[in-house]
Each structure stands twice: as C-alpha cells, then as structure tokens.
C-alpha cells in the first residue's frame, strides 16, 4: 500500500497542474514538429532520487524548437555546456528545453507555436540519448516536476481504484 503522504502529494500536484494549465493557456503543443518520443518521464521517489524529470524527443542538430504554450521567457542561455531555454506560463508553471540556442531575451513574450530557437551544440556534451540527439522537455510547478505530456495529451487517463485494507 502506498504512503498516504505520497497519495496526498500526488492529488495536490495533479490539481495544481490542471489549475496552472487552465491559467496559462488552453492551447499546448509539442515543442517540435513530428515528435518521436524516446524517453518517458520517470517520477523520482524523492527530490534527491534518480528519475527522469521530463521527456526526450529524437531531434537533429539545427531543428527548430517551438513554444509549447504562450509564455514569458524566464531564462535563455548556456548552463555549463549546453543551451537552455525556460518559459514561464502563468504564475508558477515553467517548461525547460535543452539543448536549445535562442536569441530571445528574458521577459520577451512568445505565443504557442512561435519559434523560440533551434537544437544546438548537442555534440558538445554527453547526453543520455547518445549516439542519437534528443531534446529534453521538462515541466515544473511550485510543487515539483510533472510529465509535460499532461499538457499536450500524451498520457493515458488515470483510473482511481478503491483502497483495500
């Protein structure tokens, strides 16, 4: 049986994520055209545990990357050795994409589907998709990470089961 605290956190995160989704925009899309998912989101057991806090799409160097929803640029630049862009959607919902090089500046507004950059410098660092190149797409709320597929319709619906003693 699952820990009651875990179940409560899960319910709070789901409610919070759908509230933020409605606040940010009702229109979400994948950040690339013709997405091919190669790595699924894997929820870590704790904030410090192993997991995969996002999804990965197979991409090519130079491939355009688009805003998954209307947003404000919260960060665009290099983190260590790769380009990263973070978009703020509403009060506390953020998406991060890497490796992406962008000419956008912090505070600029983008609309869903606007080109925000391109896959770049993917060969300059060891990513977990080698020898292929992948675009990492993450979604975070103040409560923690969620699968970004929840916003673009890539998850099967949940079914609640009765708690049995």
């Amino acid at each position: 049986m699952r820990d009651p605290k875990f179940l409560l956190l899960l319910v709070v995160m789901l409610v919070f994520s759908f509230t933020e989704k409605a606040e940010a925009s009702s229109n979400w899309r994948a950040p690339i055209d013709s997405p091919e998912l190669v790595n699924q989101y894997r929820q870590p057991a704790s904030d410090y545990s192993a997991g995969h806090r996002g999804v990965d799409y197979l991409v090519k160097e130079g491939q355009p990357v688009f805003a998954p929803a209307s947003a404000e640029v919260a960060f665009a630049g290099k983190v260590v050795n790769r380009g990263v862009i973070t978009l703020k959607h509403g009060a506390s919902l953020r998406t991060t994409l890497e490796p992406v090089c962008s000419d956008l500046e912090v505070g600029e507004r983008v609309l869903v589907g606007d080109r925000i950059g391109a896959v770049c410098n993917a060969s300059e660092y060891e990513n977990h998709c080698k020898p292929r190149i992948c675009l990492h797409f993450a979604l975070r709320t103040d409560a923690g990470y969620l699968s970004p597929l929840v916003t673009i319709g890539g998850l099967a619906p949940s079914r609640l089961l009765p708690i049995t003693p």
Side-chain angles (χ1 to χ4, degrees):
M1 184 172 167
R2 294 254 184 199
D3 179 18
K5 290 179 188 173
F6 171 79
L7 292 174
L8 178 60
L9 176 63
L10 182 61
V11 169
V12 168
M13 286 176 61
L14 287 172
V15 168
F16 192 82
S17 72
F18 287 113
T19 302
E20 284 297 313
K21 179 181 170 192
E23 176 184 319
S25 171
S26 60
N27 298 318
W28 283 76
R29 60 157 287 166
I32 57 171
D33 288 334
S34 304
E36 182 181 339
L37 189 65
V38 292
N39 285 320
Q40 286 280 355
Y41 174 87
R42 289 182 303 282
Q43 177 69 41
S46 75
D47 288 344
Y48 306 103
S49 299
H52 189 237
R53 294 163 175 87
V55 297
D56 295 328
Y57 293 113
L58 191 60
V59 292
K60 293 183 167 109
E61 188 81 27
Q63 185 170 344
V65 178
F66 305 98
S70 297
E72 179 181 315
V73 177
F75 176 83
K78 275 207 165 193
V79 174
V80 184
N81 57 355
R82 62 185 161 272
V84 175
I85 187 163
T86 299
L87 303 173
K88 185 175 181 180
H89 312 274
S92 62
L93 188 64
R94 293 175 187 255
T95 54
T96 299
L97 299 122
E98 63 177 86
V100 176
C101 291
S102 177
D103 292 331
L104 296 175
E105 295 189 16
V106 171
E108 284 190 64
R109 299 278 312 153
V110 294
L111 299 176
V112 61
D114 284 353
R115 184 173 183 197
I116 58 172
V119 174
C120 65
N121 304 324
S123 60
E124 292 182 17
Y125 71 99
E126 290 289 323
N127 72 61
H128 52 270
C129 293
K130 282 237 178 213
R132 303 174 296 180
I133 299 172
C134 59
L135 175 73
H136 183 76
F137 176 33
L139 172 69
R140 183 171 171 84
T141 71
D142 287 343
Y145 284 92
L146 299 170
S147 172
L149 298 182
V150 75
T151 62
I152 59 175
L155 293 176
S158 297
R159 290 184 174 57
L160 298 176
L161 299 174
I163 296 177
T164 56

